[in-house]
Amino acid sequence: MGNHTGPSRPSVSRRELCIAAGAAGISALAGCSTGNTNSSRAGNATTITDHSSPDLEKWVDEVPRPSVAEPSGTKDGRPRYEIAMGEVEQKLHRDLPATTVWGYDGQFPGPTIEAEQGEPIYVRWTNDLPDEHLLPEDTTIHSDLIPYDTPGVRTVTHLHGGNVESESDGHAQAWFTRDFQETGPEFEKKDYYYVNDQPPATLWYHDHSLGITRLNVYAGLAGFYLLRSDHERSLGLPEGEYEIPLVLQDRSFERDGSLFYPTAISDEKGGSDESHPDPSIVPQFYGDTSVVNGKAWPRLSVEPRSYRFRLLNGSNSRYYSLQFRRYDESPGETDGDGPSFVQVGNDGGLLSTPVEIGDRLELGAGQRADVVVDFSESAGETLLLHNDAPAQYRGKTGLGDDDIVPLPEIMLVDVNEAGDSQDATELPDELTRVPDISIDSVDNERYLTLNGGATDDYSRQLYLLGTAEEPDGLKIDAPVTEEPALGDTEIWSFANRSGMSHPMHLHLVHFQMVGRQSIGDYDPDEDELDLEALEAPKPYERGWNDVITVDPGEIVHVIVHFGGHDGLFNDQTGTYMWHCHMLEHEDHDMMRPFTVLPNDGRGADSDDVDDSTTQR
Ligand code: C2O
Ligand code: CU
């Protein structure tokens, strides 16, 4: 290794066939996205194109179920967990040597935290990681804000989707190293407090350390946090062994089992640009191997009955657009549609009614879908969880074509001929009441821009978030520009001026999507928001969201209330982050703070804040 003048690649025709298959959304082709075992490097810097993961036999391992975290004691009468981040060896595939990963509590993905609405918990996240990062750090990223020469790995855990006090939110600069030896400027406390005063929902936790989130999460630092309630249990949704959290991720491997993460950007011809630092951040990352709950190309065996899946897109950049397809394993071909998803919840909790997703279910990075799938008509069949999202999705990325690796095959499902249990699942017509945030209550509107036009000091494309006044974008350390007061209701209008889709995320709050329209049809200085002119949310965009996809050339308007709402959520003030959830974008530089100010009584609707009614 080391003396190649150019990357060696799998057969171009096979690769292009695979890319074409993904882009056209046609059935999975056998052998696509496995590449060959010929992983070679040009120098030290390796692009996605340079690398192919070992050709692993698919569907040989069963999908693991993450374990459930146990509290280690109590604090102020509440359960207190202590969860350590550490480096472990884990078998991710039968034929792959054990992979060094970073796990919470020694596991990738981390153990699931089971929480109950109305019952707060404390979690002390501790850092037992080695001194050196598992993956190459690009020290040019936020080099003025990050002490790269300080020993130890910086970590901080964010509860994604949690209505959490700001000191416990996992601010990107609230990082800490092993044994809290070094801490970032926003670090405030060791025991994080999660009040759990929000609708029951599929939340997740993951690392959020400034400038290295993409690497820490890729190394394995993520897990589920399921918030439940009596009302939700009364709905008769599949439970126990019939409720399965599934985190979908993409990874690439070396033949020795180690994780591969690119260290150079390819240009269209597959070489890397001389002017870039080595290692360099990449504009996005697309792995060539599907990993579900920490197993590569796994299979799940189910009974012919209904299951509840908590789907999470835990990938760095990749979009998923999912459907079950009937699958014939020997030719490795799909034929016909499998059972459909009936969505019962999204990011922020239950939808008001179950929604049958006739077509595909889309998940951007960080998004969740709570779905029920009825396998009773599929007894004896094999099904493929199929993804037809081409990696670049809608629009264009800053990557060379060869770096855009589609991933059509996610997981196989074997439906047994018969089950051991009677399936009594009958979904109620009404799941919960999702209160509408009324447009009439809006105190303020913000026009926020998503930009891909800037470059950094190394002529790398820089993604930036901006405002109406600074439309070309601001860096993370520019003064806070979004400062709602507690009790305010706002419209945030995300205008995507870049060439690709971005999954936009707000900490703390859940918003409701109002609608989308073309960027040219709305000028905040001239136009009133015209509800009639908007394209309605997609079925899976209803209800409470904390991530929303904004396609190139469009504006997505969301309505958000800061503070308690209809007996839900909790009054929090302080500084939080909003950002693109493609982790490579978040790190380079598509993240900004927002601050919820205390209500100074200047007329915001403090009377919406009503803790006397408890909503289910
Ligand atoms: Cu899941 Cu700030 O992110
Ligand atoms: Cu983005």
Side-chain angles (χ1 to χ4, degrees):
M1 282 211 229
N3 58 355
H4 293 260
T5 50
S8 87
R9 299 189 200 169
S11 133
V12 170
S13 57
R14 154 67 61 86
R15 181 159 206 133
E16 283 177 352
L17 194 62
C18 292
I19 289 167
I26 52 175
S27 328
L29 286 161
C32 277
S33 64
T34 55
N36 64 10
T37 55
N38 191 1
S39 120
S40 66
R41 292 172 178 229
N44 293 320
T46 314
T47 68
I48 304 179
T49 312
D50 291 341
H51 182 269
S52 296
S53 294
D55 198 357
L56 297 170
E57 189 178 336
K58 287 178 180 161
W59 328 128
V60 298
D61 293 297
E62 187 70 14
V63 176
R65 301 192 188 207
S67 67
V68 173
E70 290 292 337
S72 42
T74 58
K75 171 169 174 158
D76 304 336
R78 304 294 187 186
R80 177 179 177 278
Y81 294 74
E82 197 162 316
I83 298 179
M85 295 164 246
E87 184 166 294
V88 288
E89 304 277 300
Q90 195 171 310
K91 281 286 279 184
L92 305 191
H93 186 277
R94 183 193 68 189
D95 302 331
L96 195 65
T99 302
T100 303
V101 294
W102 287 359
Y104 288 100
D105 215 5
Q107 301 159 52
F108 156 60
T112 300
I113 296 180
E114 292 271 357
E116 188 69 20
Q117 190 186 37
E119 295 182 11
I121 64 168
Y122 289 92
V123 182
R124 177 175 295 202
W125 304 98
T126 63
N127 178 341
D128 288 348
L129 292 165
D131 286 334
E132 293 292 319
H133 208 289
L134 182 63
L135 301 163
E137 287 178 300
D138 175 350
T139 56
T140 67
I141 300 298
H142 293 303
S143 53
D144 46 343
L145 301 174
I146 300 175
Y148 282 103
D149 46 2
T150 305
V153 171
R154 296 168 307 283
T155 61
V156 58
T157 307
H158 168 58
L159 175 58
H160 179 128
N163 175 221
V164 168
E165 58 172 12
S166 85
E167 311 89 277
S168 296
D169 189 54
H171 189 290
Q173 288 174 276
W175 51 262
F176 53 92
T177 61
R178 192 169 59 225
D179 301 326
F180 300 101
Q181 277 166 11
E182 303 286 336
T183 57
E186 301 292 333
F187 177 87
E188 292 198 52
K189 52 156 76 168
K190 295 178 180 172
D191 286 338
Y192 275 15
Y193 178 69
Y194 300 134
V195 64
N196 293 328
D197 208 355
Q198 65 186 80
T202 311
L203 311 180
W204 64 301
Y205 61 87
H206 62 79
D207 187 79
H208 215 295
S209 182
L210 185 68
I212 53 169
T213 296
R214 69 193 185 289
L215 304 174
N216 289 359
V217 173
Y218 190 74
L221 295 177
F224 281 99
Y225 185 111
L226 302 179
L227 182 57
R228 302 182 185 275
S229 75
D230 282 337
H231 168 72
E232 187 197 352
R233 273 187 289 273
S234 76
L235 296 172
L237 299 172
E239 58 183 7
E241 63 177 300
Y242 305 111
E243 180 198 17
I244 309 179
L246 295 170
V247 51
L248 314 184
Q249 296 176 311
D250 56 348
R251 294 288 184 268
S252 291
F253 299 99
E254 303 285 3
R255 273 171 296 173
D256 66 2
S258 57
L259 286 169
F260 166 79
Y261 188 87
T263 51
I265 305 168
S266 333
D267 64 19
E268 292 294 331
K269 294 169 202 75
S272 59
D273 188 319
E274 298 291 294
S275 66
H276 297 161
D278 175 13
S280 171
I281 194 169
V282 292
Q284 292 103 46
F285 169 79
Y286 300 111
D288 61 9
T289 304
S290 168
V291 173
V292 180
N293 291 359
K295 278 286 177 201
W297 309 118
R299 71 196 299 156
L300 175 69
S301 129
V302 299
E303 296 171 22
R305 51 157 289 148
S306 290
Y307 279 74
R308 179 182 188 186
F309 296 127
R310 310 282 200 133
L311 300 174
L312 159 64
N313 178 349
S315 291
N316 279 32
S317 288
R318 185 177 291 282
Y319 269 92
Y320 293 85
S321 179
L322 301 168
Q323 194 174 46
F324 278 114
R325 310 268 304 152
R326 293 165 57 191
Y327 191 68
D328 188 342
E329 240 184 298
S330 44
E333 279 166 10
T334 64
D335 77 80
D337 295 352
S340 54
F341 298 114
V342 177
Q343 189 166 4
V344 295
N346 60 10
D347 299 334
L350 295 166
L351 300 174
S352 54
T353 57
V355 176
E356 177 154 0
I357 306 288
D359 192 14
R360 285 182 177 264
L361 174 67
E362 178 183 308
L363 282 180
Q367 282 183 311
R368 288 85 70 209
D370 189 354
V371 298
V372 171
V373 179
D374 181 1
F375 294 108
S376 62
E377 305 286 299
S378 312
E381 289 179 5
T382 300
L383 304 166
L384 174 71
L385 182 59
H386 182 255
N387 167 32
D388 79 349
Q392 82 275 21
Y393 214 48
R394 293 182 283 261
K396 278 210 167 311
T397 71
L399 291 173
D401 287 347
D402 283 351
D403 284 355
I404 298 173
V405 185
L407 196 64
E409 299 179 309
I410 305 304
M411 173 181 100
L412 218 61
V413 174
D414 299 303
V415 187
N416 302 339
E417 289 290 355
D420 340 310
S421 73
Q422 283 300 95
D423 183 7
T425 306
E426 251 188 70
L427 293 177
D429 296 335
E430 195 202 57
L431 295 165
T432 194
R433 194 173 65 82
V434 178
D436 269 332
I437 309 180
S438 158
I439 246 341
D440 301 330
S441 66
V442 169
D443 300 290
N444 190 21
E445 297 181 24
R446 295 181 194 277
Y447 185 80
L448 301 162
T449 59
L450 284 46
N451 301 286
T455 49
D456 69 7
D457 292 347
Y458 304 89
S459 63
R460 296 174 296 189
Q461 187 176 18
L462 193 58
Y463 287 99
L464 293 176
L465 299 171
T467 64
E469 291 71 36
E470 296 283 351
D472 294 338
L474 292 161
K475 298 230 184 159
I476 192 168
D477 51 343
V480 180
T481 41
E482 288 65 52
E483 296 183 299
L486 189 63
D488 280 357
T489 299
E490 300 199 344
I491 301 261
W492 285 33
S493 301
F494 297 112
N496 187 348
R497 314 194 312 168
S498 81
M500 63 180 297
S501 305
H502 301 274
M504 292 303 303
H505 172 49
L506 267 68
H507 286 206
L508 175 67
V509 288
H510 283 89
F511 48 77
Q512 295 176 358
M513 178 168 165
V514 180
R516 48 168 52 88
Q517 67 188 144
S518 157
I519 201 164
D521 292 346
Y522 177 73
D523 174 345
D525 293 331
E526 308 272 315
D527 304 317
E528 290 274 307
L529 185 58
D530 176 6
L531 297 183
E532 306 281 286
L534 303 183
E535 189 186 318
K538 308 251 172 55
Y540 46 79
E541 292 173 325
R542 299 181 201 188
W544 296 115
N545 294 285
D546 57 48
V547 180
I548 197 84
T549 288
V550 188
D551 284 341
E554 79 174 15
I555 300 187
V556 172
H557 306 278
V558 304
I559 187 165
V560 50
H561 180 75
F562 295 90
H565 181 75
D566 224 356
L568 288 172
F569 306 108
N570 212 277
D571 290 350
Q572 313 285 1
T573 54
T575 297
Y576 296 87
M577 312 308 292
W578 63 286
H579 58 89
C580 173
H581 216 287
M582 287 182 166
L583 302 181
E584 285 70 23
H585 292 184
E586 174 178 341
D587 279 347
H588 191 217
D589 232 23
M590 216 175 178
M591 175 159 72
R592 290 277 300 149
F594 71 92
T595 300
V596 184
L597 301 172
N599 190 327
D600 57 6
R602 64 182 167 79
D605 316 313
S606 52
D607 52 353
D608 307 344
V609 178
D610 179 2
D611 290 328
S612 63
T613 57
T614 304
Q615 212 255 335
R616 349 183 258 188

